[in-house]
Amino acid sequence: MRKTQRITMAQALVRHLSALRIEMADGSLQAYVGGVFSIFGHGNVAGLGEALAAERHTLPTLRAHNEQGMAHAAVAYAKAQFRQRIMAVTTSIGPGATNLVTSAALAHINRLPVLLLPGDTFASRAPDPVLQQLEDFSHGDLSVNDCLRPVTRYFDRIMRPEQLLVALPRAIWTMVDPASCGPVCLALPQDVQTQAFDCPEDFLHPETLRFRRVPPDGAELARAAQLLRGAQRPLLVIGGGLMYSQAWEALRTFAESHGLPVAETQAGKGSLPWAHPLNLGAIGVTGSPAANTLAQEADLVFAIGTRLQDFSTGSHSLWSQAPVLCLNVQAFDASKRGCTALVADARLGLEQLQTALAGWQPAAQWTARARDLAAGWATRVTELTTSPLPSGLPYDADVIGAVQASAQGSAANDIVVCAAGTLPAELHKLWRSSAPGGYHLEYGYSTMGYEIAGGLGVKLAHPDKEVIVMVGDGSYMMMNSEIATSVLLGHKLIVVVLDNRGFGCIHRLQRASGSPLFNNMLDDCVVEGGTASAIDFAAHARSMGAHAVHVANIDALRQALEAARAASSTQVIVINTTAERSTADGGCWWEVAIPEVSGCADVNRARARYEQAKQAQKL
């Protein structure tokens, strides 16, 4: 007879999570759930809170300051662990739960796992409507948690304790499966959390989790090999799927054996060391001239582990002349836009292609040209990041150069974190990634406010690394409370705030679209009776417990970075930068729709350029 224990649903949930182990890529066993971020309220404090307190020595519970921030941190943790380990987050019903929506969408788009455990209203409906309860006039079973359905890969509402026995393993396997991986949500009515049931003991001792590597289909593999053998000028475009497969050695072997140039998306940056002679750097709208030039000349693009987002493809105009072979574990991504699909794990796919292509080489002059362009771009990156102007405000490249130089030979120990604005474009082009995972950009959703919370999640995943968060003033203002959380938890961050006094990236996009300056830069937004903004970011960060300074120039930034690296607690360095300058090298067209009719001549001229550019778009 199956042995059982009389425990609550919340206790069963927490004990299952606490006991879960995962077999890592190196064969070691680790806890699958690294911890639980929680902000308690009436919907989760008495049930789930009691269960978490009992298991806090084996499953750490971490107190945060903002629900969206803690979910960002949990997502960043999973990304930093290459999706091998996760964190959970729990909130009360109401605003705490709806604060998870942005993070869930971020995780869904980026194919990253996080376990969402929001409280829910009473299943019994006895005290309805309770505090924070949504009342829908047409749907009696609706709660605010239903907002999470379209932004999660698996959603369930636990209406009876025994439902957990089915729902929780399904949620876990959704996150472990490489094709379905993404956020999952178990909505937990607060009365059901506290209800006892006879829980099978084997549920409290789950089997070890193991990752599935999907091998390629024989016919698809043969077709992929045929396409590559027929190409004289192939280009590899690498996305985050290669990182999650931890296939960087397979990529290096494949590229070197066949002399194939490599271009990197934001998520794929770091798949090869930046100085590798076949690494052309960034591809697309924020791409290097080396990568984008060869993309326009290639006769085959081999896309590996990428969603083929518009920033990577130049809104499908960058390599419109070339067919695309797509290796991806998710068939949805592998078959986009008429690509020839090779559905498989990136590492297994590359290894089996390596065998199938024995002896094959593209045109020798293609490989030689790629090496020359890569070397030229590496030299240019050094120029751009080490030669600040003698006067005037610095721009992002100057700050990036100072941050990178401050590593003093230990760059492999750095992880740079960023998400939105101009900085991702500059970092994609200019950051010198020396190891997989050292470049942590959230650019699938480009979520303002991710940076500091994400940095905390990365630090939790890699406490031995120096985590450097680079963030603009706009994103800092969106979300900064996890500076206080980093201090509370004793996890040091170095936060570099680039203050260009507004939304500089969109300011430049607005001008390029022909529109007048409007509602982006702070000085343009002062209304009658208002006061010009004069935020002291350093003082603000100090109020949350960080050590913070405002530096006057790049030389002072270098000194502050040296001191920050020597410190043991969170450091914030603020520097004024210009919004009027960005790196002109590289880049390509990006489709931003321009008004077809306007009374503004500049808008009409921008519309004419837009219509001309669309002619190169592959539809």
Side-chain angles (χ1 to χ4, degrees), residues 557-570:
L557 173 63
R558 294 189 182 105
Q559 295 173 17
L561 284 164
E562 183 178 353
R565 287 182 179 275
S568 58
S569 60
T570 292

Side-chain angles (χ1 to χ4, degrees), residues 384-458:
L384 288 166
T385 55
T386 58
S387 303
L389 293 175
S391 61
L393 289 175
Y395 88 110
D396 296 11
D398 303 323
V399 177
I400 290 169
V403 172
Q404 192 110 60
S406 70
Q408 297 179 338
S410 61
N413 198 51
D414 283 359
I415 301 177
V416 65
V417 180
C418 190
T422 304
L423 272 167
E426 299 291 340
L427 287 163
H428 194 200
K429 290 180 182 179
L430 304 176
W431 188 260
R432 302 169 182 179
S433 300
S434 57
Y439 181 83
H440 185 111
L441 264 281
E442 192 292 292
Y443 211 61
Y445 207 34
S446 186
T447 309
M448 295 183 72
Y450 173 88
E451 295 90 342
I452 294 169
L456 175 61
V458 173

